C-alpha cells in the first residue's frame, strides 16, 4: 500500500461543513487502498485570534508560553476531523505533534524539526487507521511544546512525508495551484503546472505565502514531490519537484513574489573598518532576528551607512539593538521605516538572460515607483519600495514581463 500525506490549510477546514467535505476527500483515497496521513492547520483565523489575545497582555509576546497557546488551534482541528471520519464509519486517530513523535530544537515560535519517530504513525497505519497529525507543532526533548513559524503546517506535512517515504505530499488549500503571482493581487495571474523546487524556494522565501519556505527546502533536500491542490475544485494543481527541464527552457521569469512583512533600518555614520558589519548584525542575530537585505555604502571621512531589512514583527527589537550599537560606535543616527514591502522577480532563466534588472527598473520608473533598496542573485531580483506601491508595482511588472500570456 502506498502512503499518501495530505495537508489541509485553515480555509479548507474553517467550519464543520468544510471538515466534512475534507473527510469525504480522505475517504476516497482510503477506499483507493492507500494509507493516509493527514496534517491539518488550525481553523481559518484561529492562530491570529490566539496571537491577538496574547498581544493584549504583552504586545511583544514571544517564547514558550506563546507556543503553548498558539499550538491549541491545531489540536481542535485534528480532533474535529477524527470525530468526523469516525462518524462516517472510518477508523481514525488524532495525534498532537508530541504524540506523533515530532521532535524539534528549542527555538520557541520558529522551531526546526530535528527528528520524527516514524514507527508511531506507521503502527497506527498498519492497524488500518487514518492518522491525523497536528501541523505547525512539535516537542523539545524536554517535553516543551514548540511551533514552527507561521505557515508551519506545510513543513510538518513535508517532514512527515520524508519520514514515511510517502509517494507524494499533497498540500490542499484555497487556490488550485501556484500562480505566477498572488491571484488576490493580480487578476491576470496564471497557474503554473510544474515548477522546480529551486524556483519555488525562491518564490516562497520572497513571500509567496502559498508554501512555507522551510517546507520547500525540506522537499528539495530529500527529493519529495509536493503537489499544491485546491480543496474545493478538481484538478492536477502544481507539481513542485527537482527536475523540470522542459519548462525551464521556456520561462525566463516564473513568478513575482512580494513580502509585506518587512521593515527597514539604517545606522548612519559608523566607522568604515573591518568587523563593523558583524558588530552591528551579531547582536541582532543573537535575538534570533533574521536579517534579509543588507546594503553598506561608504560615506565621507571614513564613515559608512548600513541599511538592512528585518521582519516587521522584529522591527522594534532590532531597532533597540541598533540604538545600543549606535552608542557603542558613536554612530550619527538610527532611522527606520516599517511601512515598506519587498517585491521580487524569480526565474532560473535569468541565469542566461541579461537585461531583466534594467527592464524591471525602467518599468517601475515609468510608473513613478521609487526604489529604496535593490538586491540580486542568480535567479532573483528584489526591490524595496513603499507599501502603497505594492499593487501597482506587481501588476505593471506582471504585464510587462508577459506573465499573463
Ligand atoms: P492555507 O491556509 O491553506 O495554508 P495560505 O493562505 O497559507 O493557505 O496560502 C494560500 C494563499 O497563498 C492563497 O490564497 C493566495 O492568496 C496566496 N498566494 C501568494 N502567492 C501565491 C502564488 N504565487 N500562487 C498561489 N497562491 C499564492
Ligand atoms: N496555523 C498556523 C498558522 O496560521 C500554521 C499553518 O496554518 O500552517 O500560521
Ligand atoms: Mg499556509
Amino acid at each position: 500500500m502506498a502512503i499518501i500525506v495530505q495537508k489541509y490549510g485553515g480555509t479548507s477546514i474553517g467550519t464543520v461543513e468544510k471538515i466534512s467535505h475534507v473527510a469525504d476527500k480522505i475517504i476516497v483515497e482510503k477506499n483507493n487502498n492507500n494509507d493516509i496521513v493527514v496534517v491539518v492547520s488550525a481553523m481559518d483565523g484561529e492562530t491570529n485570534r490566539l496571537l491577538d489575545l496574547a498581544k493584549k497582555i504583552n504586545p511583544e509576546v514571544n517564547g514558550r508560553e506563546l507556543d503553548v497557546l498558539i499550538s491549541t488551534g491545531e489540536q481542535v482541528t485534528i480532533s474535529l476531523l477524527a470525530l468526523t471520519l469516525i462518524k462516517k464509519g472510518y477508523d481514525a486517530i488524532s495525534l498532537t505533534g508530541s504524540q506523533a513523535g515530532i521532535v524539534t530544537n528549542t527555538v520557541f515560535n520558529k522551531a526546526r524539526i530535528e527528528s520524527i519517530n516514524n514507527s508511531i504513525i506507521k503502527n497506527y497505519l498498519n492497524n488500518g487507521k487514518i492518522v491525523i497529525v497536528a501541523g505547525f507543532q512539535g516537542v523539545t526533548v524536554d517535553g516543551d511544546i514548540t511551533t514552527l513559524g507561521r505557515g508551519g503546517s506545510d513543513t510538518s506535512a513535508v517532514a512527515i512525508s520524508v519520514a514515511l517515504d510517502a509517494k507524494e505530499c499533497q498540500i490542499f488549500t484555497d487556490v488550485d495551484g501556484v500562480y505566477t503571482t498572488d491571484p488576490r493581487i493580480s487578476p491576470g495571474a496564471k497557474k503554473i503546472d510544474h515548477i522546480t523546487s529551486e524556483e519555488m524556494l525562491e518564490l516562497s522565501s520572497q513571500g509567496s505565502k502559498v508554501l512555507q519556505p522551510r517546507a520547500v527546502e525540506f522537499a528539495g533536500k530529500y527529493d519529495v514531490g509536493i503537489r499544491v491542490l485546491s480543496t474545493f475544485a478538481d484538478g492536477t494543481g502544481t507539481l513542485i519537484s527537482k527536475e523540470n527541464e522542459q519548462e525551464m527552457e521556456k520561462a525566463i521569469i516564473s513568478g513575482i513574489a512580494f513580502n509585506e512583512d518587512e521593515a527597514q533600518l539604517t545606522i548612519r555614520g559608523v566607522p568604515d573598518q573591518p568587523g563593523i558589519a558583524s558588530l552591528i548584525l551579531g547582536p541582532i542575530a543573537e535575538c534570533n532576528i533574521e536579517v534579509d537585505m543588507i546594503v553598506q555604502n561608504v560615506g565621507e571621512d571614513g564613515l559608512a551607512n548600513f541599511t538592512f531589512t528585518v521582519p516587521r514583527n522584529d522591527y522594534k527589537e532590532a531597532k533597540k539593538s541598533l540604538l545600543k550599537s549606535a552608542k557603542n560606535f558613536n554612530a550619527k543616527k538610527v532611522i527606520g521605516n516599517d511601512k515598506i514591502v519587498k517585491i521580487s522577480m524569480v526565474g532560473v532563466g535569468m541565469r542566461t538572460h541579461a537585461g531583466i534588472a534594467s527592464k524591471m527598473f525602467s518599468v517601475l520608473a515609468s510608473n513613478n515607483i521609487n526604489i529604496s533598496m535593490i538586491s540580486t542573485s542568480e535567479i532573483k531580483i528584489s526591490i524595496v519600495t513603499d507599501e502603497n506601491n505594492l499593487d501597482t508595482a506587481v501588476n505593471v511588472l506582471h504585464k510587462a514581463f508577459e506573465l499573463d500570456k
Side-chain angles (χ1 to χ4, degrees), residues 19 40-43 46 71-81:
I19 289 176
V40 288
S41 298
M43 281 182 166
E46 179 63 7
S71 61
T72 60
E74 275 73 11
Q75 193 165 338
V76 171
T77 47
I78 53 169
S79 73
L80 289 176
L81 181 57

Side-chain angles (χ1 to χ4, degrees), residues 73-74 77 117 145 241 257 272 299 397:
E74 275 73 11
T77 47
N117 176 0
I145 298 171
S241 64
D272 184 20
L397 289 171

Side-chain angles (χ1 to χ4, degrees), residues 1-8 29 34-39 154 156-172 193-194 219 222-230 235-242:
M1 259 203 243
I3 299 178
I4 293 183
V5 175
Q6 298 192 326
K7 176 254 171 178
Y8 291 91
E29 290 297 344
N34 291 305
D35 278 335
I36 317 286
V37 181
V38 183
V39 175
D154 298 332
S156 309
V158 172
I160 289 171
S161 303
V162 171
L164 296 175
D165 201 14
K167 202 170 103 188
E168 194 170 84
C169 179
Q170 303 174 340
I171 305 279
F172 286 92
D193 292 332
H194 295 135
Y222 294 98
D223 206 2
V224 178
I226 304 180
R227 195 177 288 277
V228 176
L229 296 150
S230 164
T236 50
T238 299
L239 178 67
I240 297 132
S241 64
K242 260 193 169 162

Side-chain angles (χ1 to χ4, degrees), residues 74-319:
E74 275 73 11
Q75 193 165 338
V76 171
T77 47
I78 53 169
S79 73
L80 289 176
L81 181 57
L83 287 168
T84 308
L85 284 162
I86 292 164
K87 181 81 196 331
K88 289 179 190 270
Y90 285 78
D91 199 4
I93 182 164
S94 65
L95 300 172
T96 63
S98 160
Q99 288 173 321
I102 301 174
V103 176
T104 72
N105 65 10
T106 57
V107 183
F108 293 107
N109 318 150
K110 356 181 167 171
R112 276 179 184 266
I113 296 175
E114 287 188 333
S115 66
I116 298 182
N117 176 0
N118 65 8
S119 64
I120 300 174
I121 296 178
K122 275 189 177 164
N123 281 340
Y124 286 119
L125 291 176
N126 290 340
N127 289 323
K129 290 188 195 296
I130 297 168
V131 181
I132 301 160
V133 183
F136 181 52
Q137 57 176 262
V139 68
T140 68
V141 284
D142 293 328
D144 287 317
I145 298 171
T146 50
T147 64
L148 311 179
R150 297 310 303 269
S153 299
D154 298 332
T155 303
S156 309
V158 172
I160 289 171
S161 303
V162 171
L164 296 175
D165 201 14
K167 202 170 103 188
E168 194 170 84
C169 179
Q170 303 174 340
I171 305 279
F172 286 92
T173 182
D174 59 351
V175 277
D176 62 352
V178 176
Y179 278 69
T180 48
T181 192
D182 190 338
R184 285 189 215 196
I185 293 272
S186 198
K190 279 261 168 327
K191 185 170 86 72
I192 302 168
D193 292 332
H194 295 135
I195 187 167
T196 60
S197 10
E198 186 186 16
E199 283 172 299
M200 192 64 230
L201 179 58
E202 201 66 58
L203 282 174
S204 293
S205 310
Q206 301 309 323
S208 291
K209 268 196 202 122
V210 61
L211 285 173
Q212 199 197 35
R214 270 183 206 168
V216 185
E217 195 184 343
F218 226 102
K221 189 167 164 194
Y222 294 98
D223 206 2
V224 178
I226 304 180
R227 195 177 288 277
V228 176
L229 296 150
S230 164
T231 305
F232 308 106
D234 290 336
T236 50
T238 299
L239 178 67
I240 297 132
S241 64
K242 260 193 169 162
E243 295 302 327
N244 185 15
E245 312 243 328
Q246 280 178 336
E247 233 70 24
M248 281 200 296
E249 305 257 332
K250 278 187 248 155
I252 299 171
I253 308 295
S254 53
I256 302 174
F258 52 85
N259 191 349
E260 296 170 90
D261 176 35
E262 293 265 343
Q264 180 180 314
L265 284 158
T266 301
I267 179 165
R268 285 219 177 117
V270 293
D272 184 20
Q273 65 194 34
I276 207 75
S278 97
L279 285 172
I280 293 171
L281 296 178
I284 302 217
E286 271 160 35
C287 305
N288 258 310
I289 297 174
E290 279 173 38
V291 171
D292 181 18
M293 280 164 111
I294 304 170
V295 174
Q296 184 187 342
N297 34 34
V298 180
E300 285 161 48
D301 307 325
L303 296 178
N305 299 335
F306 203 88
T307 302
F308 55 93
T309 61
V310 295
R312 248 183 228 188
N313 253 338
D314 295 324
Y315 175 66
K316 280 190 186 146
E317 204 182 338
K319 196 167 179 187

Side-chain angles (χ1 to χ4, degrees), residues 359-378:
K359 180 168 172 188
M360 181 183 188
F361 303 151
S362 89
V363 169
L364 293 172
S366 58
N367 284 279
N368 227 351
I369 291 165
N370 194 42
I371 301 171
S372 69
M373 284 174 95
I374 297 169
S375 99
T376 62
S377 79
E378 263 197 309

